[in-house]
Amino acid sequence: MYTAGTAMLEALQEAGVAYIFANFGSDHPALLEAIAEARALGRPIPAVVTSPNEMVAMACAHGYAQLTGRAQAVVVHVDCGTQALGGAVHNAAKARVPVFVFAGLSPSTQEGEASGSRNEFIQWIQDVSDQRGIVRPYMKYDNELRSARNVKQIVHRSLQIAQSDPKGPVYIVGAREVMEEETEAVATDAADWPPIAPAPLPDAAVADLIEAVQKARRPLIVTSYLGRNPAALTELVRFCSRLGVGVLESVPSYVNYPHNDPLYQGNQWNHPFQNRTLGEADFILVVDSDVPWIPTVSKPSEKAAIAIIDVDPLKQSTPLWYIKARQCYRADAATALAQLNAALDRAAIDEQAAERRRRHYAERHRERAAELARLEAPGEEVITPEYLTACVRRQVGLDAVVINEGITNYPAICDHIAREKPGTMFASGAGSLGWTGGAAIGMKLAVPDKTFVVMTGDGSYMFSTPSTVHWMARRYRTPFLTVIFNNRGWKAPKFSALAVHPYGFASRAKDLDLSFDPAPDYSGIAAAAGGAFARVIKRPEDVEAGVAEGLRAVLDEQRCAVLDVWLAHL
């Protein structure tokens, strides 16, 4: 039979989708039959990865797409499976990560009028009035399949939208009867649905931006996710080196600039103080950043001129958002920076001014490096996040891919893992915790020969559904090292409460209901679910050897390793 289910698999295969991360339900007989038929007949289809948890499935697709730029597919069942995607949908939407999501619908007939008609009690309970509305605010596109005749065209269109900037997830639904419907095969070519071409800067903007940088005493570029395209990082390094422009990362979700470059000025997250470099800048170019600064604690000088280049410069899906940018351009970062560099090839550069700027930022870079080195010294009794991260850096090297969900330890991890190469550190780019485990599986499937290291807080580790993650990692042979920054509770809500009520009752309370005491056996969960190497580390002198042993388990034994490292209690 050639059904709508067959057509969907064929379209995904044509579009270059390598994996379907699946949590099948009673609404998927057509897909299950089409998959079995394809395997029996030797017809190529995307590989199916069984995910017992829907959010993990979405995180897998998210991680794969972040690393490769190619959208993958997620299959869930009806309204229940859609709701179980939960925060992972938020992550993909806010981080502009392309994912194709398909969910079934309860059958639309109940007396056997068509193949796939209702035959289980659950199909009445799962029938809701607007299933697509559950996730519509987060989707770039949503649609319902109504006929088997155009399934392939809708799949290709949805992927075209997902992979066009600003990228994001798409959501397609189809009732059982539609998915069971037989049809004639339709010939399609994925090349007929290309993503929108990268947008350039207007010619006048190129000249204006170069003039603004050259006139500035302290020009600064602020970025968060420019490094999603390694070509943009290359162009940024070239541009900044030529003109002596400093680079500050704000809430970075990628490696946006080499940390060893003298022009690199560090990164800012929720630091409760004014960033000196940001405050001193007289011209700021924001490139690909959702939160370039937090005005209540750290912001540019009132005299600073601000410009923005972004695929989504107005952040139209965020109801409250603005910065005082007098120049605002919707453009692709790599394309725009290449234009600026090409213009510099023809422009007169004030080399003396550029050298003054280079010397200034290089001195600030040296001061920062000295302070980071001081923080990496081991304590006598307590393991610090800075020391722990430095131990991991020394053991895993500069080529390992670090997946960062450290939450209150985001800055320490980012500072001390000190990535220099594009594509060697990722954060989710959004706000729903529990992304790391699935992301590591997706990335490892994409690039099996790379070493992957998850660095996560204990709270975000629990959110990641580790029993599902480590079962999947063993089944699909995707080993990675996990380092848990265990402060035995949710530290982030405590910080938030004290920031708003520094002298209130919360500041004096002994218990804010945020601790995880008695501590769960985090590494034991991974060992039980997936045969992972498990180790609890409580003393500074045991950290380096523990990381080395865990890494050996990953590289030599090809199994996951989880290090439960105890920091100071929250």
Side-chain angles (χ1 to χ4, degrees):
M1 296 191 299
Y2 190 94
T3 65
T6 312
M8 176 174 287
L9 293 176
E10 192 172 271
L12 292 173
Q13 177 71 19
E14 289 175 356
V17 172
Y19 290 97
I20 298 171
F21 298 98
N23 190 292
F24 290 120
S26 61
D27 43 324
H28 296 131
L31 273 181
L32 292 171
E33 175 65 16
I35 290 167
E37 180 187 36
R39 288 171 176 167
L41 300 179
R43 184 189 305 139
I45 58 172
V48 177
V49 174
T50 300
S51 178
N53 179 277
E54 292 90 344
M55 187 167 169
V56 175
M58 189 83 177
C60 289
H62 183 144
Y64 191 109
Q66 274 188 294
L67 191 65
T68 66
R70 301 192 301 274
Q72 301 302 297
V74 173
V75 172
V76 296
H77 55 290
V78 288
D79 63 322
C80 301
T82 299
Q83 292 180 81
L85 289 171
V89 168
H90 157 93
N91 285 344
K94 294 299 181 179
R96 300 176 189 83
V97 173
V99 179
F100 174 91
V101 181
F102 173 74
L105 287 173
S106 281
S108 56
T109 61
Q110 68 175 33
E111 296 184 18
E113 298 95 326
S115 177
S117 188
R118 296 183 184 187
N119 61 351
E120 301 175 35
F121 78 89
I122 200 69
Q123 290 155 357
W124 278 266
I125 298 169
Q126 292 173 341
D127 190 3
V128 296
S129 59
D130 184 14
Q131 182 177 306
R132 288 154 59 193
I134 297 169
V135 292
R136 186 172 294 121
Y138 300 92
M139 295 294 165
K140 283 199 68 183
Y141 172 78
D142 68 275
N143 200 355
E144 177 183 348
L145 302 176
R146 296 182 177 89
S147 169
R149 293 174 178 83
N150 64 354
V151 166
K152 291 184 69 176
Q153 294 92 325
I154 289 175
V155 170
H156 284 303
R157 168 172 163 75
S158 65
L159 285 166
Q160 179 185 36
I161 293 172
Q163 297 183 128
S164 293
D165 276 326
K167 298 178 174 69
V170 294
Y171 182 72
I172 305 297
V173 298
R176 288 211 315 184
E177 295 92 335
V178 173
M179 298 308 293
E180 292 285 349
E181 182 185 336
E182 292 189 57
T183 186
E184 294 186 4
V186 175
T188 56
D189 186 344
D192 292 334
W193 282 271
I196 295 173
L201 286 171
D203 290 340
V206 174
D208 290 346
L209 290 171
I210 289 176
E211 181 181 11
V213 171
Q214 297 233 65
K215 284 183 176 179
R217 183 168 174 266
R218 295 285 180 263
L220 181 69
I221 287 178
V222 178
T223 185
S224 302
Y225 56 89
L226 172 148
R228 66 187 183 137
N229 180 356
L233 185 154
T234 301
E235 295 289 350
L236 180 62
V237 169
R238 185 166 177 245
F239 178 77
C240 292
S241 299
R242 297 168 84 179
L243 294 181
V245 182
V247 176
L248 176 67
E249 293 181 294
S250 183
V251 197
S253 47
Y254 298 84
V255 178
N256 299 299
Y257 205 82
H259 282 223
N260 62 335
D261 189 294
L263 292 169
Y264 181 69
Q265 301 300 297
N267 51 88
Q268 58 181 12
W269 299 75
N270 288 337
H271 297 85
F273 52 81
Q274 174 67 49
N275 182 280
R276 181 169 63 163
T277 302
L278 180 66
E280 292 176 349
D282 53 355
F283 175 71
I284 300 170
L285 176 58
V286 178
V287 185
D288 284 355
S289 180
D290 290 330
V291 187
W293 47 79
I294 299 174
T296 53
V297 290
S298 179
K299 60 185 178 181
S301 162
E302 289 295 329
K303 296 179 181 180
I306 300 170
I308 182 170
I309 299 172
D310 203 300
V311 293
D312 180 21
L314 299 180
K315 316 298 176 185
Q316 290 174 260
S317 65
T318 303
L320 175 61
W321 191 97
Y322 56 86
I323 61 174
K324 297 177 181 179
R326 295 290 179 91
Q327 296 166 276
C328 185
Y329 305 108
R330 187 187 299 275
D332 169 70
T335 304
L337 288 164
Q339 289 176 274
L340 292 169
N341 280 319
L344 282 178
D345 291 339
R346 303 183 298 271
I349 297 176
D350 184 341
E351 291 292 349
Q352 289 185 335
E355 182 56 26
R356 286 194 296 270
R357 293 191 289 261
R358 291 188 200 103
R359 286 198 301 268
H360 167 78
Y361 284 124
E363 179 57 30
R364 289 289 177 83
H365 181 87
R366 282 191 292 271
E367 292 173 4
R368 176 178 177 272
E371 175 62 11
L372 294 182
R374 185 188 69 79
L375 292 171
E376 289 181 1
E380 293 184 4
E381 298 293 333
V382 178
I383 300 169
T384 66
E386 294 83 3
Y387 174 65
L388 171 56
T389 306
C391 290
V392 173
R393 182 190 72 236
R394 288 191 290 267
Q395 292 296 325
V396 305
L398 293 177
D399 291 321
V401 178
V402 174
I403 303 171
N404 181 358
E405 199 169 35
I407 315 308
T408 53
N409 288 309
Y410 270 134
I413 294 171
C414 198
D415 281 340
H416 297 275
I417 205 67
R419 298 288 89 179
E420 299 174 8
K421 301 179 181 180
T424 57
M425 193 199 77
F426 297 88
S428 75
S432 186
L433 306 185
W435 155 85
T436 48
I441 292 171
M443 291 185 187
K444 185 70 174 177
L445 287 170
V447 189
D449 59 339
K450 283 277 188 183
T451 300
F452 292 90
V453 181
V454 165
M455 304 182 79
T456 179
D458 49 327
S460 49
Y461 179 79
M462 283 206 282
F463 278 128
S464 73
T465 322
S467 57
T468 289
V469 164
H470 288 285
W471 175 83
M472 291 176 66
R474 176 162 61 176
R475 174 165 176 169
Y476 296 104
R477 297 183 179 89
T478 56
F480 55 92
L481 173 65
T482 297
V483 181
I484 301 173
F485 287 60
N486 186 355
N487 52 32
R488 273 86 73 214
W490 282 319
K491 198 171 184 179
K494 179 181 178 180
F495 278 7
S496 297
L498 297 183
V500 178
H501 302 285
Y503 309 110
F505 287 96
S507 69
R508 301 188 295 273
K510 292 182 179 179
D511 185 5
L512 292 176
D513 303 299
L514 300 174
S515 76
F516 297 154
D517 298 319
D521 183 2
Y522 295 121
S523 57
I525 294 169
F533 171 92
R535 178 62 52 84
V536 178
I537 302 173
K538 297 185 178 181
R539 295 193 56 79
E541 61 266 25
D542 298 329
V543 174
E544 196 91 42
V547 175
E549 195 172 359
L551 189 61
R552 278 196 298 272
V554 173
L555 299 179
D556 298 342
E557 301 172 24
Q558 291 294 294
R559 60 177 177 141
C560 281
V562 177
L563 306 179
D564 179 1
V565 184
W566 284 38
L567 311 179
H569 197 282
L570 87 158

mmCIF file of all heavy atoms in Angstrom, residues 330-357:
data_model
loop_
_atom_site.group_PDB
_atom_site.id
_atom_site.type_symbol
_atom_site.label_atom_id
_atom_site.label_comp_id
_atom_site.label_asym_id
_atom_site.label_seq_id
_atom_site.Cartn_x
_atom_site.Cartn_y
_atom_site.Cartn_z
ATOM 1 N N ARG A 330 17.662 43.878 9.549
ATOM 2 C CA ARG A 330 17.345 42.451 9.472
ATOM 3 C C ARG A 330 18.296 41.831 8.447
ATOM 4 O O ARG A 330 18.156 42.048 7.238
ATOM 5 C CB ARG A 330 15.896 42.230 9.036
ATOM 6 C CG ARG A 330 15.459 40.761 9.103
ATOM 7 C CD ARG A 330 14.070 40.552 8.512
ATOM 8 N NE ARG A 330 13.050 41.316 9.222
ATOM 9 C CZ ARG A 330 12.425 40.908 10.316
ATOM 10 N NH1 ARG A 330 12.712 39.722 10.830
ATOM 11 N NH2 ARG A 330 11.500 41.664 10.895
ATOM 12 N N ALA A 331 19.279 41.092 8.941
ATOM 13 C CA ALA A 331 20.286 40.517 8.046
ATOM 14 C C ALA A 331 20.921 39.299 8.695
ATOM 15 O O ALA A 331 20.919 39.145 9.918
ATOM 16 C CB ALA A 331 21.364 41.549 7.711
ATOM 17 N N ASP A 332 21.465 38.430 7.858
ATOM 18 C CA ASP A 332 22.213 37.264 8.317
ATOM 19 C C ASP A 332 23.596 37.712 8.769
ATOM 20 O O ASP A 332 24.287 38.468 8.070
ATOM 21 C CB ASP A 332 22.321 36.259 7.172
ATOM 22 C CG ASP A 332 23.286 35.148 7.471
ATOM 23 O OD1 ASP A 332 22.980 34.312 8.342
ATOM 24 O OD2 ASP A 332 24.370 35.120 6.841
ATOM 25 N N ALA A 333 24.024 37.253 9.952
ATOM 26 C CA ALA A 333 25.278 37.737 10.537
ATOM 27 C C ALA A 333 26.484 37.421 9.661
ATOM 28 O O ALA A 333 27.346 38.289 9.444
ATOM 29 C CB ALA A 333 25.462 37.141 11.933
ATOM 30 N N ALA A 334 26.574 36.200 9.164
ATOM 31 C CA ALA A 334 27.736 35.833 8.342
ATOM 32 C C ALA A 334 27.786 36.671 7.069
ATOM 33 O O ALA A 334 28.857 37.152 6.665
ATOM 34 C CB ALA A 334 27.693 34.342 7.999
ATOM 35 N N THR A 335 26.633 36.858 6.456
ATOM 36 C CA THR A 335 26.565 37.653 5.226
ATOM 37 C C THR A 335 26.926 39.108 5.508
ATOM 38 O O THR A 335 27.713 39.727 4.781
ATOM 39 C CB THR A 335 25.157 37.562 4.621
ATOM 40 O OG1 THR A 335 24.822 36.193 4.398
ATOM 41 C CG2 THR A 335 25.065 38.330 3.318
ATOM 42 N N ALA A 336 26.366 39.661 6.574
ATOM 43 C CA ALA A 336 26.622 41.064 6.909
ATOM 44 C C ALA A 336 28.090 41.295 7.238
ATOM 45 O O ALA A 336 28.696 42.281 6.781
ATOM 46 C CB ALA A 336 25.740 41.475 8.082
ATOM 47 N N LEU A 337 28.684 40.422 8.026
ATOM 48 C CA LEU A 337 30.096 40.596 8.395
ATOM 49 C C LEU A 337 31.019 40.416 7.192
ATOM 50 O O LEU A 337 32.046 41.095 7.075
ATOM 51 C CB LEU A 337 30.458 39.624 9.517
ATOM 52 C CG LEU A 337 29.842 39.983 10.878
ATOM 53 C CD1 LEU A 337 29.906 38.798 11.830
ATOM 54 C CD2 LEU A 337 30.550 41.197 11.491
ATOM 55 N N ALA A 338 30.643 39.510 6.287
ATOM 56 C CA ALA A 338 31.431 39.362 5.052
ATOM 57 C C ALA A 338 31.360 40.639 4.224
ATOM 58 O O ALA A 338 32.365 41.062 3.624
ATOM 59 C CB ALA A 338 30.919 38.168 4.250
ATOM 60 N N GLN A 339 30.195 41.282 4.197
ATOM 61 C CA GLN A 339 30.074 42.558 3.500
ATOM 62 C C GLN A 339 30.966 43.625 4.136
ATOM 63 O O GLN A 339 31.632 44.394 3.429
ATOM 64 C CB GLN A 339 28.617 43.039 3.534
ATOM 65 C CG GLN A 339 27.640 42.259 2.680
ATOM 66 C CD GLN A 339 26.226 42.779 2.883
ATOM 67 O OE1 GLN A 339 25.528 42.356 3.802
ATOM 68 N NE2 GLN A 339 25.823 43.730 2.051
ATOM 69 N N LEU A 340 30.965 43.683 5.458
ATOM 70 C CA LEU A 340 31.797 44.669 6.147
ATOM 71 C C LEU A 340 33.275 44.428 5.877
ATOM 72 O O LEU A 340 34.043 45.373 5.643
ATOM 73 C CB LEU A 340 31.517 44.614 7.651
ATOM 74 C CG LEU A 340 30.125 45.098 8.091
ATOM 75 C CD1 LEU A 340 29.874 44.745 9.548
ATOM 76 C CD2 LEU A 340 29.979 46.603 7.872
ATOM 77 N N ASN A 341 33.679 43.164 5.890
ATOM 78 C CA ASN A 341 35.081 42.858 5.609
ATOM 79 C C ASN A 341 35.460 43.184 4.168
ATOM 80 O O ASN A 341 36.561 43.678 3.895
ATOM 81 C CB ASN A 341 35.370 41.387 5.913
ATOM 82 C CG ASN A 341 35.576 41.144 7.399
ATOM 83 O OD1 ASN A 341 36.215 41.931 8.085
ATOM 84 N ND2 ASN A 341 35.022 40.052 7.903
ATOM 85 N N ALA A 342 34.550 42.916 3.246
ATOM 86 C CA ALA A 342 34.832 43.253 1.844
ATOM 87 C C ALA A 342 34.975 44.765 1.673
ATOM 88 O O ALA A 342 35.847 45.244 0.918
ATOM 89 C CB ALA A 342 33.716 42.720 0.948
ATOM 90 N N ALA A 343 34.142 45.511 2.388
ATOM 91 C CA ALA A 343 34.246 46.967 2.301
ATOM 92 C C ALA A 343 35.548 47.460 2.917
ATOM 93 O O ALA A 343 36.161 48.432 2.429
ATOM 94 C CB ALA A 343 33.053 47.609 2.991
ATOM 95 N N LEU A 344 36.003 46.816 3.990
ATOM 96 C CA LEU A 344 37.277 47.207 4.610
ATOM 97 C C LEU A 344 38.462 46.970 3.679
ATOM 98 O O LEU A 344 39.494 47.651 3.793
ATOM 99 C CB LEU A 344 37.487 46.442 5.919
ATOM 100 C CG LEU A 344 36.702 46.933 7.137
ATOM 101 C CD1 LEU A 344 36.977 46.040 8.342
ATOM 102 C CD2 LEU A 344 37.055 48.380 7.457
ATOM 103 N N ASP A 345 38.320 45.990 2.794
ATOM 104 C CA ASP A 345 39.397 45.755 1.824
ATOM 105 C C ASP A 345 39.644 46.982 0.957
ATOM 106 O O ASP A 345 40.752 47.187 0.441
ATOM 107 C CB ASP A 345 39.038 44.562 0.923
ATOM 108 C CG ASP A 345 39.046 43.244 1.667
ATOM 109 O OD1 ASP A 345 39.694 43.170 2.726
ATOM 110 O OD2 ASP A 345 38.400 42.288 1.184
ATOM 111 N N ARG A 346 38.611 47.807 0.796
ATOM 112 C CA ARG A 346 38.710 48.987 -0.067
ATOM 113 C C ARG A 346 38.812 50.287 0.729
ATOM 114 O O ARG A 346 39.057 51.341 0.161
ATOM 115 C CB ARG A 346 37.477 49.057 -0.981
ATOM 116 C CG ARG A 346 37.248 47.823 -1.835
ATOM 117 C CD ARG A 346 36.047 47.998 -2.773
ATOM 118 N NE ARG A 346 34.810 48.195 -2.031
ATOM 119 C CZ ARG A 346 34.013 47.206 -1.628
ATOM 120 N NH1 ARG A 346 34.352 45.940 -1.868
ATOM 121 N NH2 ARG A 346 32.884 47.467 -0.988
ATOM 122 N N ALA A 347 38.574 50.206 2.052
ATOM 123 C CA ALA A 347 38.499 51.423 2.862
ATOM 124 C C ALA A 347 39.862 51.795 3.438
ATOM 125 O O ALA A 347 40.763 50.952 3.561
ATOM 126 C CB ALA A 347 37.492 51.224 3.993
ATOM 127 N N ALA A 348 39.988 53.036 3.809
ATOM 128 C CA ALA A 348 41.184 53.506 4.518
ATOM 129 C C ALA A 348 40.974 53.262 6.007
ATOM 130 O O ALA A 348 40.014 53.767 6.601
ATOM 131 C CB ALA A 348 41.403 54.992 4.250
ATOM 132 N N ILE A 349 41.854 52.478 6.621
ATOM 133 C CA ILE A 349 41.741 52.156 8.038
ATOM 134 C C ILE A 349 42.719 53.021 8.828
ATOM 135 O O ILE A 349 43.899 53.128 8.471
ATOM 136 C CB ILE A 349 42.035 50.662 8.280
ATOM 137 C CG1 ILE A 349 40.995 49.784 7.576
ATOM 138 C CG2 ILE A 349 42.073 50.358 9.774
ATOM 139 C CD1 ILE A 349 41.270 48.298 7.679
ATOM 140 N N ASP A 350 42.219 53.660 9.866
ATOM 141 C CA ASP A 350 43.073 54.435 10.761
ATOM 142 C C ASP A 350 43.811 53.437 11.658
ATOM 143 O O ASP A 350 43.314 53.030 12.720
ATOM 144 C CB ASP A 350 42.218 55.395 11.591
ATOM 145 C CG ASP A 350 43.062 56.311 12.470
ATOM 146 O OD1 ASP A 350 44.234 55.985 12.726
ATOM 147 O OD2 ASP A 350 42.524 57.338 12.924
ATOM 148 N N GLU A 351 44.993 53.036 11.241
ATOM 149 C CA GLU A 351 45.732 51.988 11.938
ATOM 150 C C GLU A 351 46.158 52.406 13.336
ATOM 151 O O GLU A 351 46.205 51.569 14.249
ATOM 152 C CB GLU A 351 46.960 51.570 11.117
ATOM 153 C CG GLU A 351 46.623 50.833 9.824
ATOM 154 C CD GLU A 351 46.021 49.461 10.070
ATOM 155 O OE1 GLU A 351 46.052 48.982 11.229
ATOM 156 O OE2 GLU A 351 45.498 48.861 9.115
ATOM 157 N N GLN A 352 46.481 53.674 13.525
ATOM 158 C CA GLN A 352 46.878 54.108 14.857
ATOM 159 C C GLN A 352 45.723 53.995 15.851
ATOM 160 O O GLN A 352 45.904 53.518 16.980
ATOM 161 C CB GLN A 352 47.393 55.543 14.798
ATOM 162 C CG GLN A 352 48.740 55.694 14.110
ATOM 163 C CD GLN A 352 49.264 57.119 14.192
ATOM 164 O OE1 GLN A 352 48.492 58.069 14.326
ATOM 165 N NE2 GLN A 352 50.581 57.264 14.107
ATOM 166 N N ALA A 353 44.538 54.394 15.426
ATOM 167 C CA ALA A 353 43.366 54.280 16.296
ATOM 168 C C ALA A 353 43.027 52.814 16.558
ATOM 169 O O ALA A 353 42.685 52.430 17.686
ATOM 170 C CB ALA A 353 42.177 54.996 15.667
ATOM 171 N N ALA A 354 43.113 51.993 15.506
ATOM 172 C CA ALA A 354 42.827 50.561 15.664
ATOM 173 C C ALA A 354 43.799 49.919 16.644
ATOM 174 O O ALA A 354 43.406 49.099 17.482
ATOM 175 C CB ALA A 354 42.888 49.861 14.310
ATOM 176 N N GLU A 355 45.081 50.316 16.565
ATOM 177 C CA GLU A 355 46.086 49.744 17.465
ATOM 178 C C GLU A 355 45.843 50.187 18.906
ATOM 179 O O GLU A 355 46.033 49.393 19.840
ATOM 180 C CB GLU A 355 47.494 50.147 17.010
ATOM 181 C CG GLU A 355 48.623 49.554 17.851
ATOM 182 C CD GLU A 355 48.594 48.046 17.929
ATOM 183 O OE1 GLU A 355 48.064 47.381 17.012
ATOM 184 O OE2 GLU A 355 49.105 47.507 18.939
ATOM 185 N N ARG A 356 45.414 51.421 19.116
ATOM 186 C CA ARG A 356 45.090 51.878 20.475
ATOM 187 C C ARG A 356 43.950 51.039 21.062
ATOM 188 O O ARG A 356 43.996 50.663 22.242
ATOM 189 C CB ARG A 356 44.713 53.365 20.477
ATOM 190 C CG ARG A 356 45.889 54.313 20.304
ATOM 191 C CD ARG A 356 45.484 55.743 20.652
ATOM 192 N NE ARG A 356 44.467 56.268 19.746
ATOM 193 C CZ ARG A 356 44.720 56.915 18.616
ATOM 194 N NH1 ARG A 356 45.983 57.091 18.221
ATOM 195 N NH2 ARG A 356 43.735 57.389 17.879
ATOM 196 N N ARG A 357 42.968 50.774 20.234
ATOM 197 C CA ARG A 357 41.849 49.962 20.710
ATOM 198 C C ARG A 357 42.312 48.538 21.006
ATOM 199 O O ARG A 357 41.922 47.942 22.012
ATOM 200 C CB ARG A 357 40.729 49.965 19.667
ATOM 201 C CG ARG A 357 40.060 51.329 19.477
ATOM 202 C CD ARG A 357 38.805 51.243 18.640
ATOM 203 N NE ARG A 357 39.067 50.976 17.235
ATOM 204 C CZ ARG A 357 39.093 51.892 16.269
ATOM 205 N NH1 ARG A 357 38.947 53.186 16.575
ATOM 206 N NH2 ARG A 357 39.309 51.555 15.016
#
